[in-house]
Amino acid sequence: IFTSKPEKEIMDFIINMGINCSKNRKLLNGKEIDIFVEEKQIAIEFNGCKYHTEWYGGKGRQYHLTKTKMCKDKGIGLIHIFEDEFFGKKEIVFNKIQHILGLDTKKEKVYGRKCDIQRIDGETAKMFMEKFHIQGGDSSTVHYGAFYDDKLIAVMSFLRNKGDEWELTRFASDFNYICCGVGGKLFKYFIKEHNPNSVKSFADRRWTINETNNLYIQLGFEFDSYTPPSYTYYKPKVHRYQRFHKFGFRKKVLLKKHPEELTPEMTETEMVKKLGYDRIWDCGLIKYIWKKPEE
């Protein structure tokens, strides 16, 4: 059975932490699971961008999500790692794997009660997210930082949607520590300052192993719904290790950029195909909502 270099690197990383893992073809009736950590009931898929595209690779809208659901039905949590994340954010990826497998116990524990919470500026938040969040920074407007011995160790960001309805857009902590209750303290600080009626947030199904016991549930959020799989665009000749957000591929944007190749009659799909791009589908998101307790 073929094992790619990144798969081997992930397997070696897990084995070096004292846990067995292997490829598996039995669990999903002949469908291959790249890495199965049996004692933790967790599986990992490494998705090379080129071969996990829709048109070239034949991996359609439901492909990745179907595998996630098949694993879930057997009580197994499945992580999907895309190639660009592995090569662009390797340190974050390995720390996430270590945390999900519960193997980060040797790190220093930091408790929320020992942290000082402060408002921080967007630039500070963005730099922190680029280093510690798999999606990097975003355009949130309100950011809080948790400081431990004057060192920034966690950041939570928010965006006002309308009125007193907000969105928790990002949370990340320094992966050199185990943060206990730090997220809760940041969230409470935000609630106290802004008194929102509701706060929504979205978890990535590719990385969410336990939908009913995670940070959102601990913060008092409740499951609301699933969003359907979404896609990014990919063209190896432009960048081998990058998926591009579909926002930059709207018809009017493409017409402006490529007036000589494209015409207004074409659909977005026809345009991107003509330009040599392919689509990569994810697993969708899990929407959680926090509501202000009634008096």
Side-chain angles (χ1 to χ4, degrees), residues 222-238:
E222 288 184 358
F223 169 84
D224 178 76
S225 56
Y226 296 111
T227 72
S230 183
Y231 58 86
T232 43
Y233 283 111
Y234 179 68
K235 185 177 178 180
K237 283 180 181 162
V238 176

Side-chain angles (χ1 to χ4, degrees), residues 121-133 137 152:
D121 63 82
E123 194 49 42
T124 305
K126 191 176 181 193
M127 280 165 63
F128 189 88
M129 292 298 176
E130 291 298 337
K131 194 172 176 189
F132 297 112
H133 198 291
L152 182 62

